[in-house]
Amino acid sequence: MLFKKILSFALAAAMVSALLAFPAVNGTKVIAADSAAAESGDFSLLTSEYEVAVGNTVQIAYSGSANGLMTQIDNPFVISDDATGLVIKGLRTGSSGVSFFSGGKEFKALITVVPNPDITDVCDICREPLNTDINYTTTSDGEKLCQKCYPTIGDCCPRVHDTITDEVTSVVLDNDDTYHIFFKEHGEYCLYSETLYNVITNRLGAEIKEGDKVVLDYDYYDLGPDTQKCSVWRIRSVKYAPEELTFTGHVEYSCARFVRFGREGLFMLPDSLEYPDGNPFAEGNTVKTTVLCEKKDDIRVITEIESAEVVGTEEPVHIEAPFKESFTDIVVERDSEHITFREHGRFFLNKGYSMDSSTDVNNLNIGDSCEIVFYYRGLSDTVDLITYIQSLSAAPVTTADVSVTTVTTTTTDAKVTTTASDGPEIWMWMTGVDHFDSIRTRPTKTIYTEGEELDLSGLVINAYHQADKFSNKGNSMTVRTDYVWEVEKIDPKYITIENLGGEVIGENGDMSKLRGGYAYTVVIGGGNNIRLNVKGEQYEKEMYDTQGFRFRIYVSPKEGVGKFIAIDKGEVEAFDYGSYSHGFVIKGYGAFSIDMDAHMHINYNMPSGLQKGDIVSGVLYINSETNYIITGDMEVFRPTLGNGDANCDTKIELADAILIMQALANPNKYGIDGSHEHCLTEMGRTNADVNGGGMTSDDALDIQLHLLGKKTLAMR
């Protein structure tokens, strides 16, 4: 497990001041500060290479502010840190990197642990050094334990072996650095060292958390009937418990290594799996099945098929052809199921991926530089499956291919040189979910008559899939993939209808209680998760975070003269202002009159100052006999108006008004591309339109009035 700690600002400041004030402890030597680094003010390591003998410690030296400092250790079985993350204890021989993250930057230190003639080994429980001058006990199982972990006066605390399968309800770390794991059926278990806790997390591949169901094989101190299973002293093994799943699913994709169901998702198939009566998981089959599954690197593995009945058969879902990929990279892991490259990550191997021995990955060795050309399918966010290897060549990595680090001893006067390379950064995906983002296109039908049913045809939404992934180096990122979904169906149980005051008028999409002459809001999900069908997708999708999934509809009365009409990008051709009312003409829709009452309706949006040339869209509620606007929801797009500089000489003068009139009266000579050398230009025509709606004689009049001081160009 990657081990992280947060260093407080106060603690960081104390550590900085302590570096030069106190001598190093336990055989540790602090590297002298580099004055340039110390004066920089920002966090920086004063050296990046340290060596420590088994049982000793090394204190990492740094300068500057370490507020918000976070550290991680690549290999906690070699070294471990104290509460600050800056004092490193030597445990086992080997090398491990320590990464410091401060101010958005990463600083790397390499710790090499070398043998110590005075230290025989370390305790298998607490990891403290076992000095030759101090007695320790070797158990019948070969465990080496210090006196603190193994009482020497008789066997006063017998060790007992047991195995449980249970669900974790919580994990608590107390002030004594003891981990308390609480299980649903078996109660509390205490792990008295961080190393024991790290054993669990390393073997599970992720930190144990609430809801995990695990099989724990362990030894414990028998301290009596009340606490006999509480004091764990060794973890023999731990794994996620098998999960029994029963479902009816349609097989979208099937091969020797994986099967993917439409709703249930992807499952891995181990080589030892036995199928009942052939292979019920063939593509196109709908199967009612009960299976046992285990988690392996966040992938569900079917370990046993208890039952499988084919209840339907359809044409297989169309699967895109495999993608072709080629690169040169270093092999960092390899087995019969997958291969992992340093830069390109993990790829699973289908059976039959190789045609001959020259393309068999079993011929590769870890550390080889591999040049590969292959085809693969992306089965999920975490699984890429190699279906065929076209070519493969490899050669051992030379020192020129890897970084070589020279490590100088800091605990003695001797010089020790080792070579080490940073391990590969391997990413693991967590399960992601689909989220609602916004409405892209509202339903085609938004205006109804009393008694009609809700119609979602034409509804298109923006959605996205979001998932987190974490690396073995402690890095993490959130990956978002955006989609555009045309909605085919939403279960009515997720649909409510509210009036503009927020009161629920109809549940389950029911519009029977909606009165004519009013606007309403259709609310999808109310912020909770929903299920919906998307065009082109065979199975339902589940979507979360639907807070903004709502749109407005309008209901006209069955009888009477009132009705809602839709306006789509209509151009205002004329308008007239009066003392108490005014009217306007929308091209293609006719003339309308309006007074201030139309602007007083709560939650409606009816603009009061329409102008010639404005483009309007929305819904009007009108008296169909008089075209009097009662209220409405309108959006106005106001085109950019010109500044009056028709001849583009940067001045507003009478010549601009004259050019407008000349261009209108004699376009062949003064219009755009006219014969006169000072004819109108495209920019000039844009500048000339000071009123909106195109260049007209009114624009020339406006300019003249402006020059006379009777009307400014802003009053348009």
Side-chain angles (χ1 to χ4, degrees), residues 592-604:
F592 300 88
S593 62
I594 187 172
D595 60 32
M596 291 306 298
D597 288 342
H599 307 289
M600 302 302 292
H601 291 270
I602 297 176
N603 293 322
Y604 281 86

Side-chain angles (χ1 to χ4, degrees), residues 493-549:
K493 69 182 179 182
Y494 300 115
I495 303 174
T496 58
I497 301 175
E498 301 175 353
N499 62 20
L500 297 189
E503 179 185 0
V504 175
I505 305 299
E507 297 181 340
N508 300 314
D510 180 21
M511 295 177 55
S512 62
K513 296 181 181 179
L514 272 56
R515 295 170 52 198
Y518 294 91
Y520 300 89
T521 302
V522 177
V523 180
I524 311 293
N528 300 315
N529 57 312
I530 66 170
R531 289 188 173 274
L532 72 164
N533 292 87
V534 176
K535 186 176 181 180
E537 302 286 347
Q538 186 171 1
Y539 298 101
E540 276 187 327
K541 292 185 175 294
E542 188 168 19
M543 173 181 287
Y544 292 78
D545 300 329
T546 58
Q547 289 87 346
F549 200 171

Side-chain angles (χ1 to χ4, degrees), residues 317-441:
V317 176
H318 172 69
I319 302 293
E320 292 184 355
F323 299 99
K324 186 175 183 179
E325 180 67 275
S326 62
F327 54 73
T328 300
D329 203 347
I330 295 175
V331 178
V332 295
E333 288 183 358
R334 177 191 59 76
D335 59 24
S336 61
E337 295 178 347
H338 61 78
I339 180 172
T340 304
F341 298 95
R342 172 179 294 177
E343 301 295 337
H344 293 81
R346 179 181 61 180
F347 291 84
F348 284 86
L349 301 165
N350 199 18
K351 292 182 178 179
Y353 68 86
S354 177
M355 295 297 292
D356 52 52
S357 59
S358 65
T359 54
D360 188 350
V361 299
N362 290 317
N363 296 324
L364 296 175
N365 296 309
I366 294 177
D368 282 353
S369 177
C370 173
E371 183 177 347
I372 184 171
V373 180
F374 62 96
Y375 292 84
Y376 76 97
R377 296 185 187 276
L379 300 184
S380 72
D381 290 336
T382 58
V383 174
D384 291 321
L385 178 68
I386 293 178
T387 58
Y388 173 66
I389 295 181
Q390 180 175 310
S391 64
L392 176 67
S393 61
V397 178
T398 65
T399 55
D401 298 318
V402 297
S403 59
V404 178
T405 303
T406 301
V407 182
T408 304
T409 302
T410 61
T411 54
T412 67
D413 294 332
K415 297 283 187 178
V416 178
T417 301
T418 63
T419 60
S421 59
D422 289 340
E425 185 165 29
I426 302 173
W427 292 89
M428 296 176 59
W429 286 88
M430 306 300 288
T431 301
V433 295
D434 294 318
H435 302 261
F436 171 80
D437 182 79
S438 60
I439 294 178
R440 188 182 185 93
T441 304

Side-chain angles (χ1 to χ4, degrees), residues 624-637:
S624 59
E625 294 181 351
T626 63
N627 270 10
Y628 167 76
I629 297 176
I630 302 170
T631 190
D633 276 328
M634 298 290 289
E635 295 178 352
V636 178
F637 170 74

Side-chain angles (χ1 to χ4, degrees), residues 67-84:
N67 189 25
L69 181 70
M70 182 177 71
T71 66
Q72 69 179 42
I73 291 180
D74 292 346
N75 191 344
F77 287 105
V78 173
I79 60 176
S80 65
D81 62 359
D82 72 347
T84 70

